[in-house]
Amino acid sequence: MKTIDPTNRAAARARRRARPVVTAVAALSSVAVLAACGGGGGTGNAGGDGEAVYALSAEDTPNYVPLDLVEADFPGVDGSAPGFTSIPDPLVAAVDSPPGSGGSYTAMTPLWGTIPPTDGNAYFDAVNEAIGTTINFQISDGNTYGDKMAAVLASPRDVADWTTIPSWNVPPRFNDAVESIFADLTPLLAGDAIEAYPNLANIPTEAWQACSWNGKIYGLPMPVEVGLTDYALYRADLVADQALPTTPEELIEFAEANTGDGAWGANDLWAVATAMFGVLPSQPGWEVGDDGALVHRVETPEYRAALEWMTELYSSGAVHPDAVADNQGDAGTRFEGGQVVMTSTGLGYWHEALTRNRPANPDFDIDVLPLFGADGADPVIYKPKGAAMCSFLKQTEDEAQLTELLEVANFLAAPFGTEEFQLINYGVEGVHYDLGADGLPVATTQAQQEVQPSYIFLTGPPAVNAKPDLPDYVEKRSTWAAANAEFVTEPLFYGMNIAEPNQYASIGQPFADLEKDIVRGRASMADLDAAIETWRSAGGEELRTFYTEIYEGLESEGGSASS
């Protein structure tokens, strides 16, 4: 194995923040690397020279042409979502006329809520009329969507014309399935071709990378904010007079100080620990170690330090007993009810909790903890994939159908502040909402029956922080995200969808349970050491070889990927 230039982890992360080389290399050329030895699984699409392609080339990456249709109250900074405290009046028209050609298509999407009627639904009828195309939804329960989708993909003739696949539901060997079932959109969207669809061209590059496979554009993105998405919220109304923690040690002290009289300091805070100590994301979970070889997240001192800190937090008695029992389903109830002061969750929960509680308690308030690192070091925010979901168009020999659906996608990607965005998200004024005295949409009873997230799962505009009914929330979250954008770091292999050999798909699963056992005192660091050795012998070393060959291919194609 070729020796990779040794580098210090902290220095490497600093260089990746300043100059994200892996993405740059992927943009310089079509990244081709030799498939790993051992066989048995998908490793990327084989090109004409027998080599595997994992990233979009520069010429195949859609041009990014940002739109500036409405002015944000809090502009985004280096990828943080812009904040809006009001809905523009008047709204901007992003599309001149219905873009469709009158076609009728099926679309399979998930939904975490009550599935609305599809026949006689005034919301669907209005949007279909506005796009000039009929989209017939096949909506499935989001909790079981992965199983449903796997069954459908196993029988390609049953695949809808337009299919949404969440990033957490990508099936095994999808790098093979995508080429046999779904349309290659590269000829229609690569480079400046995307500029025929201005709203799609407004979607950032990271989102297109997340929806590319085998060096080609297959998916249409549902973009997300590429910053910290999971952290700790605290009940600002309950600790208004207390100083906030600025170190890991102070955070435990803060939790202890707010424990007593039937209340506890925190739910589980694993997401906070990973940011404080700079733990690598679980996928793909590799970085360049001090000796120059690739090291996996479970082998890093940062991972061990985060577990040790979590163990100390749990042993302090400041974690709610139900969280200790791993009852995470009721974490929000405990937090909103004041039984815990801090909870670690997705930041999208923030405005949802405010919306639920403020009508009955105007003083109810939530804020986000300051972001800090351990031992005086900077915190590390590993940039997530640029899209939470991707949707795919079924293969067809009729290019006119693909063009029509891309025109529809361009309509659906109309950004906040446009008439199209308002229709897709709220329905028809006077039918699904009325405007309140503050100019904000107020849902009608009919909207509660008909308007559910559906079109947004096909594609959408760049993420925004737009909750005009919660202006204090918009200001807090936007300011916090912008201030911490400097800590966002691209992990190794960012912007690449890499299908690991199937025989190693589950070797990392035991660590999820072991993490819980260690922090709760049911297992020790010696058990972690044993689990790491088992992981290595069960295929971890083969995976290291697999990723090392990809890494070396990146270096040989465009320069060092170790920074």
Side-chain angles (χ1 to χ4, degrees):
M1 180 186 301
K2 185 177 72 177
T3 300
I4 301 169
D5 292 338
T7 182
N8 176 270
R9 285 193 186 89
R13 287 170 176 160
R15 289 196 295 274
R16 282 204 293 272
R17 281 198 291 266
R19 184 173 59 87
V21 174
V22 171
T23 300
V25 171
L28 284 172
S29 62
S30 180
V31 180
V33 294
L34 291 174
C37 298
T43 58
N45 178 55
D49 55 3
E51 296 182 333
V53 180
Y54 292 99
L56 287 172
S57 65
E59 59 270 21
D60 287 342
T61 300
N63 289 357
Y64 175 46
V65 186
L67 293 175
D68 189 19
L69 301 182
V70 294
E71 184 177 354
D73 298 291
F74 300 94
V77 176
D78 294 335
S80 70
F84 296 87
T85 58
S86 63
I87 294 178
D89 184 17
L91 297 169
V92 178
V95 177
D96 294 335
S97 60
S101 306
S104 180
Y105 305 93
T106 55
M108 179 179 169
T109 58
L111 179 63
W112 292 266
T114 303
I115 296 177
T118 53
D119 293 331
N121 186 316
Y123 168 65
F124 289 147
D125 292 343
V127 177
N128 285 340
E129 181 180 357
I131 61 180
T133 298
T134 299
I135 302 297
N136 298 299
F137 280 96
Q138 301 169 355
I139 302 173
S140 298
D141 182 356
N143 296 308
T144 57
Y145 189 74
D147 295 335
K148 172 72 176 293
M149 184 189 59
V152 169
L153 293 182
S155 178
R157 65 182 178 182
D158 296 329
V159 173
D161 299 310
W162 202 340
T163 301
T164 296
I165 302 181
S167 60
W168 57 92
N169 280 148
V170 175
R173 298 185 63 86
F174 185 68
N175 58 309
D176 295 329
V178 70
E179 294 204 331
S180 61
I181 299 174
F182 298 114
D184 176 9
L185 302 178
T186 312
L188 301 174
L189 298 177
D192 59 8
I194 199 172
E195 295 177 29
Y197 311 99
N199 296 321
L200 294 179
N202 183 46
I203 295 176
T205 299
E206 292 96 338
W208 293 108
Q209 291 172 333
C211 295
S212 68
W213 287 83
N214 305 334
K216 302 174 184 177
I217 304 167
Y218 281 101
L220 298 167
M222 181 182 175
V224 297
E225 184 174 11
V226 286
L228 187 59
T229 56
D230 294 74
Y231 199 58
L233 301 173
Y234 68 94
R235 285 288 302 275
D237 54 328
L238 300 182
V239 295
D241 298 327
Q242 297 184 32
L244 296 175
T246 59
T247 67
E249 295 75 21
E250 289 179 1
L251 181 51
I252 292 178
E253 293 170 1
F254 183 77
E256 290 176 317
N258 285 285
T259 298
D261 298 326
W264 283 263
N267 282 317
D268 186 86
L269 297 181
W270 178 241
V272 182
T274 58
M276 288 191 302
F277 292 94
V279 179
L280 288 167
S282 57
Q283 290 296 327
W286 296 91
E287 71 174 2
V288 180
D290 294 335
D291 62 354
L294 292 191
V295 59
H296 192 265
R297 119 191 242 266
V298 300
E299 301 172 301
T300 64
E302 292 85 1
Y303 179 73
R304 182 178 292 267
L307 287 173
E308 290 173 341
W309 181 86
M310 286 287 292
T311 301
E312 184 177 352
L313 172 68
Y314 270 83
S315 65
S316 73
V319 179
H320 193 284
D322 288 347
V324 176
D326 200 24
N327 176 6
Q328 304 306 328
D330 294 330
T333 301
R334 297 191 291 270
F335 179 67
E336 293 173 40
Q339 297 176 48
V340 297
V341 169
M342 295 181 289
T343 193
S344 180
T345 184
L347 294 185
Y349 165 83
W350 187 352
H351 71 80
E352 296 172 358
L354 289 173
T355 300
R356 277 192 294 270
N357 290 276
R358 278 204 172 157
N361 180 10
D363 294 328
F364 184 90
D365 198 16
I366 297 174
D367 210 335
V368 60
L369 278 182
L371 186 66
F372 49 81
D375 300 323
D378 287 340
V380 178
I381 304 172
Y382 281 105
K383 185 184 287 188
K385 284 189 172 184
M389 303 184 188
C390 303
S391 67
F392 301 82
L393 306 183
K394 190 175 182 179
Q395 285 182 7
T396 175
E397 295 181 0
D398 187 351
E399 188 172 308
Q401 291 187 14
L402 298 179
T403 300
E404 179 175 10
L405 291 176
L406 289 178
E407 291 284 5
V408 171
N410 184 63
F411 183 105
L412 301 181
F416 174 80
T418 63
E419 296 173 354
E420 296 80 6
F421 183 96
Q422 190 90 340
L423 172 65
I424 293 163
N425 287 273
Y426 298 105
V428 179
E429 183 179 359
V431 178
H432 299 111
Y433 70 90
D434 297 309
L435 293 179
D438 54 5
L440 302 180
V442 178
T444 65
T445 301
Q446 186 169 343
Q448 296 170 10
Q449 299 171 347
E450 295 183 342
V451 181
Q452 286 282 10
S454 46
Y455 295 94
I456 67 169
F457 291 139
L458 297 177
T459 192
V464 294
N465 176 15
K467 299 296 175 184
D469 54 326
L470 298 169
D472 59 327
Y473 156 79
V474 172
E475 180 175 4
K476 287 177 181 178
R477 179 167 178 180
S478 295
T479 302
W480 184 86
N484 294 311
E486 64 176 302
F487 303 120
V488 175
T489 301
E490 291 189 353
L492 210 58
F493 308 117
Y494 186 75
M496 303 169 67
N497 278 320
I498 301 174
E500 295 179 352
N502 290 343
Q503 65 266 40
Y504 308 127
S506 61
I507 63 171
Q509 183 58 39
F511 289 99
D513 293 332
L514 182 59
E515 289 166 5
K516 297 176 182 179
D517 288 341
I518 289 175
V519 303
R520 290 166 174 80
R522 300 192 294 260
S524 67
M525 287 299 174
D527 295 310
L528 175 63
D529 294 334
I532 292 172
E533 289 304 316
T534 299
W535 170 83
R536 288 170 177 160
S537 61
E541 291 299 346
E542 287 83 355
L543 274 179
R544 196 188 319 274
T545 299
F546 172 79
Y547 279 101
T548 297
E549 292 183 1
I550 297 174
Y551 180 89
E552 291 172 346
L554 290 171
E555 286 201 315
S556 65
E557 288 289 333
S560 173
S562 62
S563 56

